[in-house]
Amino acid sequence: MSQSMPWQAYLVIGFIVVFVGGIALIFLYGFLETMWLSRQSVPSRFEKLKTEFDFDKSALPAIAQKLGMTQADRISSHLSREVLNAMPKHFKGAEFLDILVRKERAGMFLLCNVRRAVKVIAGDSSGERQTRRYLEVDPVTVTAFYLSEKPYLPAFVTRPFLDYLSVKLVKLVGRKWCGHPRFKDDPEFHKKLLISTAEPEKVRPVLTDRVRNVLKENCDLTMAITGPVIVVYDDGHPVKHIYRKSPEDGETVEDCKILAAKEWPLFYKAAESMIQSLISVQERLS
């Protein structure tokens, strides 16, 4: 005769099924929400252009004079490489346009537009191989600072925090398993910003009260530090794109985050305040 399981066993199995199912539903919801968020934009205080070609290049001389900067045709390959290292990986190989620079004792400020161009080799209907060039246009206005002297600041990224489950999960994982810094006496900081780093113990002393206050004032901007470079830009998206649709022949993929020329002085002042607060920390640590 077959012997049925005791009711306690059914209770345990039921509990396990409900628990595992609940966890799965939470992560499924978080994944679907992340996909939805990847198509949404974060509100910006700056006016953004529809395409990079709408940028008013004729305004650059006046902007340069107002900000005490000078125009440049290009930047060194070393500087461009360092700046791109601090930006998302899909900007690798990007080009720098509309460049303004300003040298200081601690290093050099850079204000420009960055765009990535991609060359793709694909086959046509006849089976013959041909070269197809398109622009995966993901242009963005960037303020960067190159530190001329060591010690460099530890690498970390701050970006706008949105009150969504998927973002909260990322934040929880970062705190529990990656040890991302947490400031219990400054809950407003964590309500406005999401921080990620592989060096939490080194980053904590960098995020002084002054630095955190400046970052909170500019919590709509993304800031990244890698090696000698501090980069600030208006990303426009709460999460990075997970999937990118491959464009058809001749098609332009566009996610324009270039700011209108009239917004450059305001953006630069906001980014400069963030960078200067960190430079003061770097000078104190040196």
Side-chain angles (χ1 to χ4, degrees), residues 147-153 228 282 285-286:
L147 290 164
S148 59
E149 297 181 359
K150 294 182 178 181
Y152 301 143
L153 295 167
Q282 187 260 354
L285 295 176
S286 61

Side-chain angles (χ1 to χ4, degrees), residues 26-286:
I26 291 174
F27 277 93
L28 177 61
Y29 177 82
F31 173 76
L32 294 176
E33 187 181 70
T34 300
M35 297 304 298
W36 177 79
L37 281 173
S38 68
R39 301 177 180 273
Q40 307 304 310
S41 296
V42 175
S44 175
R45 61 183 136 152
F46 306 110
E47 178 187 344
K48 295 180 181 178
L49 303 176
K50 291 183 178 180
T51 72
E52 61 176 299
F53 305 107
D54 296 326
F55 183 75
D56 183 11
K57 295 179 181 292
S58 65
L60 286 175
I63 295 173
Q65 184 178 13
K66 183 175 183 178
L67 298 179
M69 307 182 82
T70 57
Q71 288 184 258
D73 295 328
R74 60 171 59 185
I75 59 176
S76 68
S77 58
H78 173 71
L79 178 57
S80 64
R81 184 170 59 252
E82 293 289 354
V83 172
L84 294 178
N85 283 341
M87 298 183 68
K89 291 182 179 179
H90 65 267
F91 275 102
K92 185 177 181 180
E95 56 184 326
F96 292 75
L97 310 169
D98 313 315
I99 302 169
L100 301 180
V101 297
R102 191 182 84 199
K103 293 184 178 180
E104 292 193 351
R105 179 181 59 83
M108 184 174 71
F109 274 100
L110 170 68
L111 176 61
C112 63
N113 291 322
V114 179
R115 182 191 68 183
R116 182 190 180 205
V118 182
K119 181 181 287 186
V120 174
I121 299 178
D124 59 14
S125 57
S126 64
E128 297 180 358
R129 297 188 65 82
Q130 62 180 8
T131 299
R132 180 176 70 188
R133 182 176 178 82
Y134 67 87
L135 293 179
E136 183 182 1
V137 181
D138 197 7
V140 62
T141 301
V142 168
T143 294
F145 187 80
Y146 181 82
L147 290 164
S148 59
E149 297 181 359
K150 294 182 178 181
Y152 301 143
L153 295 167
F156 68 95
V157 178
T158 62
R159 54 176 59 89
F161 173 74
L162 296 184
D163 194 13
Y164 290 97
L165 177 61
S166 55
V167 183
K168 287 182 177 179
L169 288 174
V170 171
K171 191 174 185 178
L172 178 63
V173 170
R175 284 181 180 175
K176 297 298 183 182
W177 284 277
C178 301
H180 292 170
R182 183 179 183 183
F183 301 92
K184 294 182 179 180
D185 59 339
D186 192 359
E188 184 185 6
F189 177 77
H190 297 289
K191 290 180 180 179
K192 291 186 174 183
L193 291 159
L194 183 67
I195 181 170
S196 56
T197 178
E199 305 174 287
E201 296 305 319
K202 293 182 180 179
V203 169
R204 178 176 290 277
V206 172
L207 295 175
T208 62
D209 291 345
R210 180 195 172 194
V211 171
R212 294 201 307 274
N213 288 334
V214 174
L215 293 180
K216 286 186 290 187
E217 292 173 0
N218 301 282
C219 59
D220 55 334
L221 300 178
T222 296
M223 182 184 70
I225 301 176
T226 302
V229 170
I230 305 170
V231 175
V232 179
Y233 54 99
D234 191 340
D235 187 34
H237 289 278
V239 294
K240 59 185 178 182
H241 296 290
I242 298 177
Y243 298 107
R244 286 180 176 270
K245 180 182 176 183
S246 297
E248 300 296 330
D249 193 4
E251 182 183 359
T252 298
V253 175
E254 191 162 317
D255 178 21
C256 189
K257 292 169 281 192
I258 284 182
L259 305 183
K262 65 180 182 180
E263 301 285 4
W264 274 35
L266 294 176
F267 167 68
Y268 178 77
K269 290 300 181 183
E272 183 186 31
S273 66
M274 299 166 70
I275 293 170
Q276 291 287 9
S277 69
L278 289 166
I279 291 175
S280 64
V281 174
Q282 187 260 354
E283 291 176 344
R284 177 170 55 83
L285 295 176
S286 61

